[in-house]
Amino acid sequence: MNELRRAWLITLKDLRLEFRTGGRLVAMIAFVVLAGFLFAFALDRTAVAGRDVAAALLWLVMLFASTAGAGRIFDAEEEEGAFRHLLLTPVSRPAVFLGKTAANLVVIWLVTALAFISLTAFLDVRDQGSLAAHAAVLLPGTIGLAATGTFFGRMSRHSSLGDTLLPVLTFPLLVPVIYFGATSTARVFLERPWTEISGSVRLLWAFAVGSVFIGAALFRHLTDE
Amino acid sequence: MSTRGRITGLALVTSGVATILVAHWMMAFWVPNEATQGVVQRIFYVHVPAAWTMFIAVGIVALASAVYLWLKDERADAAAVAAGEGALIFGAIMLISGPLWGRLIWDTYWEWEPRLTLSLLLWFTYLGYFMVRGSVADPGRAKRFAAVVAVVGSLNIPLIHVSVEMFRSLHPGPVVMNPEGPTLPADMLVTLLTMWAGFVMLFLGLFTFRYAVERLRRRPLPAAAGETGEALI
Amino acid sequence: MTLEGQRLVCSYGPTRALGGVDIAAGGGEIVAVVGPNGAGKTTLLRALSGERRPDQGEVLLDGSPVSGADPGWRGRVGLVSHRAGLYRKLTVAENLNFFAALHGVPKARDAVGPALETIGAATLANTRVEALSRGQSQRVALARSLLHDPDILFLDEPFTGLDPAAAAALESTLRARRAAGSVIVLVTHDLRRGLGLADRVVVLRRGHKVHDGETGGASAADLLRYFTVGDPS
């Protein structure tokens, strides 16, 4: 059977569990909304305009929320030992990785949308620039975050350090995403021409495609014994 | 550990330490002051060889980890651990000596210089490497996970490199690995290479011992010695 | 059809869980693997099913090596473990649909109903697993392991926590699979059940096989001695 179909089944299963359990999703959403709220208190807006810092804060909130969520991606799999049985079906390891990454990506999209709304609202960013351009920057960035989170979430699940391990492993890797993502988003906020942004977006796509491929290729080393 | 290994390791460590001492003497008394930076420039003889040694170590870890994932050979994993500790030590020397020099020349401890930034990120990747090793309970799993961290970390180097290059550049350009040949005066080059030779010998000596220790640590105990509970049924 | 494990060695770090175990199970035969805690029973099962690659030795099906990395092999294997291995927040039918579809069972949805009926749990289809009793979820786990009609079945402590009715249902299912010619390997520390159900019993102690024989000739008291003192001869 088509491995893509198997990956899709895993995505659907994960999303169904995600929305039925709710815990991880609610925690991530509460985090991004409250973070935007707190940033408004933390900034002296007689000194800094919200629009100047919104891009940096948006990407950091996305990074923190997706990292915090990554530690929980495999919770339902391990709770009753279901993952062992999933791995014992003929499904290929890249398909497992792709399926779970896709589900994680949907969750990160939700969180990103709410983070965007909360930051622009609380920081009073009136001119947001083109929403299509924002989406074009955020799409490859979130794919990179989702793939990296799924991959290392599997690792942290087996570590006694748990989620505290994740930032040490993922932050150094995610420097390109944060750098190219935040600078591009900042330029979209400032309504700069797309030619000033497209180079960075290409590099974000390079990271997104690279992390999905490398993750799919190496995932079996995180599952098979 | 075999006698030959012991002798090789000991010889490497002693000649490494001796060479490093000689290089320190050269650095302090023999080599002339650099014209524009003055005496401060002498940190360069520690900083640059440490960086080069770290990159050798990083290369060994990445290569050995890839081999381990591929062949599941214990020796490759032991080599990766031994080299990984070297990467952390020499990386720490580089990361401490760099800002000390930067404070006096650039008037700031931390400059967003591409190579320094890349090295810091790599250093944290190797910190993560050892955190994974230490915190995953199943030993086989810990080795595989750590090897994956090392491989992924090195695959990401090109993109990090591009990011930090675009981010900012203040670091002096290459003075040794220049396509037109070294631009460094001969006596400075000799001091630099002496220090590097000392560092590399010390690294290889430590590597030899550490590798042997890793191999010994992994010898299987007699059957099921870790068994708990003899309770019936 | 014969499933063989040859000189299987598995270690967890320095702890050797299996120290070279030979085991064979033929089609239409139930082999019970018994032994005290920490004897290596579960590790043996994981090595046979291909979930854990043995450090040494190999698993053969009719003489040709099999590996957990081969999807074709995984498609022939059914597993019941002592944990249910189901998603708690999904309903019974959702769980079974998911696993049937991953196995590539044609018309997965149509296969689920009959599977639930054979284990006497048809009314549970729309109940979430978190609301099931231990015995009920174990029945569902059994149904899941049979969805793709595997000819090789592994059961790891399947009787733990089962009420008498569920245990009887499990036993009759296993007898039916035996009659259909499946290879069945059953790990248990329940000697009485193991002897009652199996054709052959293998006793493990500290990672080694200390007894392998027909169940007919051995009484529970005989086997008990293997647990405590190893091979009496």
Side-chain angles (χ1 to χ4, degrees):
Chain A
M1 191 181 61
N2 193 337
E3 284 306 311
L4 279 179
R5 198 178 114 70
R6 287 198 166 102
W8 176 239
L9 287 169
I10 291 173
T11 306
L12 287 182
K13 183 269 296 171
D14 268 21
L15 286 176
R16 184 174 274 165
L17 282 172
E18 197 74 68
F19 288 106
R20 221 170 258 184
T21 315
R24 181 171 96 102
L25 200 59
V26 170
M28 286 166 85
I29 288 171
F31 172 78
V32 294
V33 174
L34 287 171
F37 190 70
L38 276 180
F39 280 141
F41 280 99
L43 283 178
D44 177 359
R45 270 182 291 159
T46 61
V48 211
R51 201 167 80 152
D52 297 343
V53 290
L57 296 181
L58 173 69
W59 280 86
L60 283 182
V61 166
M62 280 161 59
L63 174 69
F64 293 154
S66 64
T67 307
R72 304 263 83 88
I73 291 173
F74 286 88
D75 274 10
E77 301 285 5
E78 301 285 358
E79 192 179 32
E80 286 284 329
F83 203 48
R84 181 183 178 191
H85 294 269
L86 189 154
L87 292 174
L88 207 53
T89 67
V91 65
S92 72
R93 290 2 180 188
V96 177
F97 176 75
L98 291 180
K100 294 198 75 73
T101 297
N104 189 23
L105 182 60
V106 172
V107 173
I108 291 180
W109 278 341
L110 262 175
V111 168
T112 299
L114 282 165
F116 187 87
I117 293 168
S118 104
L119 277 169
T120 48
F122 291 132
L123 296 180
D124 197 22
V125 182
R126 297 281 165 82
D127 304 313
Q128 295 160 357
S130 145
L131 281 180
H134 273 301
V137 172
L138 290 170
L139 176 67
T142 46
I143 293 176
L145 290 179
T148 313
T150 307
F151 193 80
F152 288 99
R154 170 73 190 152
M155 220 178 256
S156 74
R157 194 65 182 65
H158 287 284
S159 161
S160 57
L161 293 171
D163 299 358
T164 48
L165 183 63
L166 276 171
V168 185
L169 294 178
T170 60
F171 286 7
L173 293 175
L174 288 171
V175 165
V177 176
I178 296 306
Y179 173 53
F180 294 115
T183 49
S184 305
T185 300
R187 285 173 194 174
V188 177
F189 273 129
L190 296 173
E191 294 174 46
R192 302 274 272 273
W194 182 249
T195 47
E196 276 186 29
I197 301 163
S198 58
S200 295
V201 171
R202 267 202 293 278
L203 287 165
L204 283 176
W205 274 112
F207 187 94
V209 173
S211 58
V212 167
F213 269 96
I214 293 170
L218 293 180
F219 196 61
R220 68 188 170 90
H221 296 295
L222 304 185
T223 54
D224 292 11
E225 315 217 333
Chain B
M1 187 172 187
S2 69
T3 320
R4 220 182 72 197
R6 211 171 290 168
I7 292 172
T8 318
L10 210 60
L12 282 166
V13 169
T14 28
S15 48
V17 171
T19 314
I20 290 170
L21 288 176
V22 171
H24 272 85
W25 175 82
M26 291 166 82
M27 180 174 91
F29 302 110
W30 182 71
V31 78
N33 261 353
E34 204 264 342
T36 49
Q37 299 183 9
V39 70
V40 179
Q41 179 267 349
R42 286 165 199 260
I43 293 179
F44 162 89
Y45 302 114
V46 174
H47 177 73
V48 174
W52 288 350
T53 313
M54 172 188 161
F55 279 101
I56 292 179
V58 163
I60 295 177
V61 185
L63 204 67
S65 298
V67 170
Y68 178 71
L69 286 182
W70 184 28
L71 299 175
K72 298 276 152 43
D73 188 324
E74 284 289 317
R75 287 172 300 182
D77 181 64
V81 180
E85 289 179 2
L88 276 187
I89 294 168
F90 286 98
I93 295 176
M94 174 198 58
L95 288 171
I96 293 167
S97 58
L100 287 180
W101 176 78
R103 174 71 181 83
L104 291 164
I105 295 300
W106 292 333
D107 201 25
T108 169
Y109 282 111
W110 188 257
E111 252 322 317
W112 289 105
E113 188 286 315
R115 272 174 287 160
L116 196 57
T117 312
L118 174 64
S119 307
L120 180 71
L121 292 172
L122 263 183
W123 193 83
F124 272 110
T125 302
Y126 283 92
L127 186 68
Y129 175 87
F130 282 103
M131 286 172 74
V132 167
R133 283 196 101 79
S135 67
V136 176
D138 179 318
R141 200 178 262 158
K143 289 175 207 161
R144 271 181 294 118
F145 283 14
V148 167
V149 170
V151 169
V152 171
S154 39
L155 287 176
N156 198 36
I157 290 178
L159 254 186
I160 294 196
H161 182 74
V162 175
S163 334
V164 294
E165 278 291 339
M166 288 174 75
F167 192 52
R168 196 154 179 195
S169 189
L170 240 192
H171 203 270
V175 287
V176 178
M177 299 299 204
N178 205 311
E180 287 101 53
T183 55
L184 201 65
D187 40 8
M188 292 189 181
L189 185 64
V190 169
T191 311
L192 182 72
L193 292 180
T194 310
M195 187 69 90
W196 188 39
F199 277 1
V200 170
M201 280 190 278
L202 179 61
F203 164 67
L204 291 177
L206 293 175
F207 176 85
T208 312
F209 280 118
R210 201 54 196 80
Y211 176 78
V213 170
E214 263 319 294
R215 296 285 296 156
L216 281 176
R217 233 164 51 89
R218 294 159 189 226
R219 278 200 310 207
L221 299 177
E227 177 180 300
T228 52
E230 280 276 287
L232 290 180
I233 316 179
Chain C
M1 187 170 57
T2 316
L3 179 70
E4 275 178 283
Q6 291 188 338
R7 294 179 299 284
L8 296 173
V9 176
C10 287
S11 304
Y12 295 99
T15 311
R16 185 158 275 190
L18 285 184
V21 172
D22 289 300
I23 186 171
E29 186 180 41
I30 297 181
V31 176
V33 179
V34 298
N37 293 333
K41 303 186 295 289
T42 297
T43 307
L44 176 62
L45 200 74
R46 292 173 70 90
L48 286 175
S49 67
E51 289 174 273
R52 190 192 193 287
R53 207 170 61 146
D55 300 333
Q56 289 165 43
E58 54 186 351
V59 180
L60 305 169
L61 183 68
D62 292 331
S64 39
V66 296
S67 148
D70 170 21
W73 163 254
R74 297 202 299 267
R76 297 181 65 175
V77 169
L79 170 73
V80 180
S81 62
H82 60 291
R83 289 163 85 196
L86 300 163
Y87 297 101
R88 287 169 55 80
K89 294 280 175 187
L90 297 185
T91 67
V92 169
E94 284 167 343
N95 265 293
L96 295 182
N97 276 329
F98 175 66
F99 283 102
L102 282 185
H103 268 293
V105 175
K107 301 217 173 98
R109 267 163 216 282
D110 300 342
V112 168
L116 279 174
E117 265 169 39
T118 50
I119 54 144
T123 52
L124 297 176
N126 294 317
T127 314
R128 281 196 196 177
V129 169
E130 59 186 344
L132 298 184
S133 72
R134 159 86 196 156
Q136 285 170 327
S137 53
Q138 198 65 6
R139 284 189 200 205
V140 176
L142 178 66
R144 186 254 316 271
S145 74
L146 300 174
L147 277 172
H148 53 295
D149 196 22
D151 47 12
I152 298 151
L153 255 185
F154 297 105
L155 301 101
D156 189 358
E157 307 284 6
F159 294 105
T160 315
L162 287 196
D163 56 49
L170 175 59
E171 283 190 25
S172 70
T173 309
L174 291 182
R175 290 208 168 91
R177 301 302 302 189
R178 170 170 62 186
S182 299
V183 171
I184 300 173
V185 181
L186 167 74
V187 158
T188 179
H189 58 235
D190 186 337
L191 254 186
R192 195 179 52 77
R193 274 235 167 69
L195 283 178
L197 191 61
D199 305 293
R200 219 146 51 73
V201 62
V202 170
V203 184
L204 286 187
R205 192 165 169 274
R206 297 187 167 200
H208 289 278
K209 191 168 79 173
V210 291
H211 174 80
D212 186 345
E214 308 270 315
T215 44
S219 73
D222 287 337
L223 290 178
L224 213 61
R225 277 209 301 281
Y226 291 112
F227 279 44
T228 45
V229 295
D231 194 335
S233 61

